[in-house]
Amino acid sequence: SGELMDLIRTEGQRMTAAQPSETTVGNMVRRVLKVIREEYGRLHGRSEESDQQESLHKLLTSGGLSEDFRTPYPSLRANVIEAINEMLIELEGTTDNIAMQALEHIHSNEVIMTIGYSRTVEAFLKEAARKRKFQVIVAECAPFCQGHEMAVRLSKENIETTVMSDAAIFAVMSRVNKVIIGTKTILANGALIAVSGTHTLALAAKHHSTPLIVCAPMFKLSPQFPNEEDSFHKFVSPQEVLPFTEGEILAKINVHCPVFDYVPPELITLFISNIGGNAPSYIYRLMSELYHPDDYEL
Amino acid sequence: GETIQGLRNSLRDAIDTLSRVDSSVAVSSGGELFLRFISLTSLEYSDYSKCKEIMIERGEIFLTKVSLSRNKIAKLCHPFIRDGARILTHAYSRVVLRVLEAAVESKKRFSVYVTESQPDQAGQVFINLVFTLVNRVKALRKLNIPVTVILDAAVGYIMEKVDLVLVGAEGVVESGGIINKIGTNQIAVCAKAQNKPFYVVAESFKFVRLFPLNQQDVPDRFKYKADTLETGQNLTEEHPWIDYTSPSLITLLFTDLGVLTPSAVSDELIKLYL
């Protein structure tokens, strides 16, 4: 199984190098590697999770320094395939699992704010709308204005929706009860990489002491730390910000169109994922359950 | 005949003697850890001489792992130092020095501000401290890193220029806070006020089973020099050498168990003392 893991690792590196901002790919590869390690460990006859992590305990009592995955086990293949199938079933059910928790968090006559378009948040709000009456304010999230699409979909379910521009976020925040957003990635310290404009929303919410709830499935949790502040940025064509028809101005200025925003963990109140609600300070624990430390660097 | 109990007692005596040194936090926590795992060994093997052999073997492994830990930490920490960063550090920590070396090896350019880390006692102790400081600056200058020594009082002034704060720790407590040279708490508070990341580097054997709620809760035997404790003077008139920095001020801890948020530290400690 050592060879299998090396194969998977190489493929994983290739895939993540192709599109670094899609961290989900890397996350899934790491999950599979962890599954293989676990199955191997189980067949090897050791007790489960106790030996997987580095710990002070392991520092003192373990004999060797690392284990090799040389011993072949015929049933390993079947076990791994079964575990992967379980993972696939879990993946398909994530949105539903998150939506199921909606009723606990949304109450009648509340004003909820969100930004941009997130399928998870859409499902979350739709599920709550079946039993409760509430209002939603959607920040349009310039320049791509995905907020418009979100508003259209929500209003189809008879949820009272208002669209407003990003500049008005702070002004309206005092009337908002909760902020519910989706995200692109969750980092290892509990921070977010989300659409541009989310940091503004988070700061406004903190200022008004409004809870900020992030709905994201567990496959978005990435074991990376925000070590280089600018390394996750992705810039796309500035056409959306300042169209090429304004050629005269374009010659004299620099125009940027960043796609993502970094939101530090202190601004977040709760993460709702398919395995339940968690505080940002608990993320490290979830990470250790999903991934093995040796796989953090693919 | 010799017994495990007897061995445990003599080891405990040895740890007590060793802990009577200055800055004994790390020594005492390392010793506590070692003593702890003896109880684990004795549970597995009832034959005394076999037990002793295994313990010696494990002791060697422990030593190797600990000596590797500084390099492990440096490898984890240096990506957080960007090219062109300005780093503030406090007092003399060999782990921090190793991290800076690793950053230099990965071809990063940065500058360092070091606090004087003064005691407010004159005489013998002052000269020792200057000696330590000069060593530190000399060691960094060898690596061609621009180093500036600043007054302890100038931390608030310099904080706006700094990109990150990097300190070592003498001990890491259960809440995720650290025990370190006096003045660390001040630096942490300033860093928080100006939104600068405060990073701590420490090896895992420094994890201590303490949970101080405030500065008073830190035991006296860690706070003061050994001679001061022995003369039995009125300790309220003595200046402490150690302070406690609470976990809310710390951004991340770099240990050989990985990069941890302060809340993850107590989890690690529980795993050990299960």
Side-chain angles (χ1 to χ4, degrees):
Chain A
S1 60
E3 293 167 357
L4 175 61
M5 279 166 49
D6 283 334
L7 270 173
I8 295 182
R9 208 170 278 137
T10 346
E11 287 306 309
Q13 277 165 0
R14 248 183 61 198
M15 288 193 281
T16 43
Q19 180 66 290
S21 63
E22 295 293 332
T23 49
T24 318
V25 174
N27 297 344
M28 281 293 102
V29 173
R30 292 181 184 102
R31 291 273 306 260
V32 170
L33 286 171
K34 170 116 200 252
V35 160
I36 298 176
R37 276 175 211 265
E38 259 177 36
E39 293 299 327
Y40 182 83
R42 207 171 291 165
L43 286 172
H44 207 65
R46 277 183 297 115
S47 68
E48 285 184 37
E49 32 101 17
S50 56
D51 282 355
Q52 294 288 15
Q53 312 299 334
E54 278 282 349
S55 70
L56 289 176
H57 189 179
K58 204 171 153 215
L59 197 70
L60 301 172
T61 55
S62 69
L65 285 173
S66 66
E67 71 162 49
D68 66 352
F69 289 88
R70 280 316 128 70
T71 341
Y73 289 104
S75 56
L76 181 67
R77 188 173 174 184
N79 287 359
V80 170
I81 293 182
E82 195 187 310
I84 294 183
N85 282 333
E86 271 174 34
M87 210 162 73
L88 284 172
I89 297 176
E90 183 198 321
L91 285 178
E92 283 168 30
T94 50
T95 322
D96 291 330
N97 280 334
I98 294 176
M100 274 189 330
Q101 303 172 48
L103 283 175
E104 295 165 7
H105 297 282
I106 300 182
H107 310 292
S108 286
N109 291 331
E110 277 198 325
V111 179
I112 311 237
M113 185 182 280
T114 184
I115 187 169
Y117 174 52
S118 162
R119 280 173 306 208
T120 319
V121 176
E122 187 197 334
F124 194 78
L125 293 174
K126 279 183 177 170
E127 180 65 29
R130 295 200 300 138
K131 294 240 174 79
R132 309 241 199 273
K133 203 107 189 66
F134 54 91
Q135 293 178 43
V136 178
I137 302 181
V138 183
E140 66 178 3
C141 189
F144 302 103
C145 294
Q146 295 152 330
H148 297 172
E149 197 186 323
M150 177 72 147
V152 165
R153 283 172 188 249
L154 287 177
S155 53
K156 283 208 180 106
E157 303 289 321
N158 294 326
I159 302 174
E160 208 180 305
T161 321
T162 316
V163 179
M164 35 152 252
S165 75
D166 300 338
I169 288 177
F170 192 86
V172 183
M173 187 55 78
S174 48
R175 298 198 51 226
V176 172
N177 295 112
K178 288 195 173 79
V179 181
I180 303 183
I181 56 173
T183 176
K184 182 80 180 165
T185 306
I186 305 175
L187 295 172
N189 60 346
L192 297 182
I193 296 191
V195 288
S196 183
T198 316
H199 197 177
T200 319
L201 186 60
L203 283 170
K206 187 75 176 184
H207 187 269
H208 289 92
S209 296
T210 314
L212 178 70
I213 301 177
V214 180
C215 292
M218 272 295 110
F219 60 76
K220 288 192 175 167
L221 176 59
S222 176
Q224 292 152 342
F225 278 91
N227 45 9
E228 297 193 343
E229 262 170 39
D230 309 325
S231 62
F232 60 86
H233 271 311
K234 195 168 96 162
F235 292 90
V236 294
S237 158
Q239 160 76 4
E240 310 289 334
V241 179
L242 194 62
F244 290 121
T245 46
E246 309 277 339
E248 227 180 82
I249 313 177
L250 275 178
K252 297 178 189 156
I253 57 174
N254 283 327
V255 186
H256 294 295
C257 187
V259 181
F260 298 123
D261 233 350
Y262 171 78
V263 183
E266 302 84 58
L267 302 175
I268 303 166
T269 319
L270 188 68
F271 282 102
I272 296 184
S273 70
N274 45 314
I275 50 183
N278 293 301
S281 53
Y282 197 64
I283 289 290
Y284 73 90
R285 189 63 177 277
L286 297 171
M287 225 173 52
S288 64
E289 281 172 15
L290 291 174
Y291 312 119
H292 191 274
D294 289 342
D295 299 328
Y296 288 174
E297 290 287 327
L298 254 191
Chain B
E2 298 177 331
T3 62
I4 306 257
Q5 192 66 12
L7 181 58
R8 219 189 134 81
N9 284 340
S10 36
L11 274 164
R12 198 163 256 308
D13 287 338
I15 293 176
D16 283 339
T17 322
L18 282 171
S19 303
R20 276 195 229 119
V21 75
D22 298 336
S23 312
S24 59
V25 185
V27 173
S28 110
S29 70
E32 196 59 50
L33 214 63
F34 195 79
L35 197 63
R36 169 79 190 176
F37 104 89
I38 286 174
S39 4
L40 292 171
T41 328
S42 59
L43 287 173
E44 291 171 39
Y45 301 93
S46 42
D47 178 30
Y48 178 72
S49 49
K50 184 122 190 282
C51 212
K52 212 162 160 198
E53 257 174 55
I54 304 272
M55 273 182 350
I56 295 179
E57 194 188 310
R58 283 188 181 170
E60 301 287 324
I61 296 178
F62 185 52
L63 268 178
T64 9
K65 278 200 177 169
V66 164
S67 56
L68 289 174
S69 59
R70 223 173 263 171
N71 285 334
K72 243 178 156 185
I73 296 174
K75 210 170 78 148
L76 281 175
C77 188
H78 79 82
F80 285 71
I81 300 177
R82 269 176 299 151
D83 203 25
R86 286 157 301 188
I87 305 173
L88 173 65
T89 183
H90 182 62
Y92 185 27
S93 165
R94 284 164 293 185
V95 193
V96 171
L97 197 59
R98 184 77 197 87
V99 168
L100 296 177
E101 270 175 39
V104 166
E105 279 159 30
S106 58
K107 309 265 193 306
K108 285 193 240 237
R109 295 155 298 185
F110 53 90
S111 57
V112 183
Y113 294 95
V114 187
T115 56
E116 256 192 325
S117 62
Q118 277 269 23
D120 39 12
Q121 275 178 0
Q124 192 68 19
V125 178
F126 176 74
I127 295 173
N128 281 342
L129 207 64
V130 169
F131 183 76
T132 318
L133 174 66
V134 165
N135 264 352
R136 175 96 157 101
V137 171
K138 259 202 236 159
L140 279 179
R141 290 224 167 105
K142 251 195 313 173
L143 301 169
N144 285 327
I145 305 174
V147 180
T148 319
V149 178
I150 61 169
L151 296 171
D152 293 334
V155 167
Y157 171 81
I158 210 83
M159 192 56 75
E160 61 188 28
K161 285 203 217 167
V162 154
D163 292 318
L164 62 112
V165 183
L166 184 63
V167 298
E170 296 198 25
V172 178
V173 295
E174 276 188 57
S175 56
I178 58 166
I179 295 183
N180 199 19
K181 185 80 194 302
I182 191 97
T184 314
N185 195 25
Q186 245 157 260
I187 299 181
V189 172
C190 285
K192 189 78 177 178
Q194 303 245 15
N195 248 325
K196 308 284 178 183
F198 186 85
Y199 297 130
V200 175
V201 281
E203 301 98 317
S204 58
F205 68 82
K206 288 178 176 167
F207 283 22
V208 183
R209 291 205 73 188
L210 269 183
F211 204 115
L213 297 171
N214 51 28
Q215 305 294 340
Q216 298 301 107
D217 285 343
V218 179
D220 283 341
R221 68 180 193 277
F222 295 146
K223 274 201 227 176
Y224 305 103
K225 294 271 176 203
D227 316 329
T228 330
L229 290 167
E230 263 169 52
T231 56
Q233 287 165 292
N234 187 2
L235 286 173
T236 50
E237 286 167 23
E238 293 299 324
H239 295 285
W241 284 82
I242 286 278
D243 66 13
Y244 163 68
T245 306
S246 90
S248 54
L249 302 169
I250 301 173
T251 322
L252 285 175
L253 284 122
F254 298 91
T255 69
D256 47 335
L257 304 170
V259 185
L260 304 172
T261 48
S263 36
V265 170
S266 49
D267 219 40
E268 287 298 330
L269 270 165
I270 292 175
K271 268 196 253 178
L272 169 70
Y273 287 103
L274 242 178

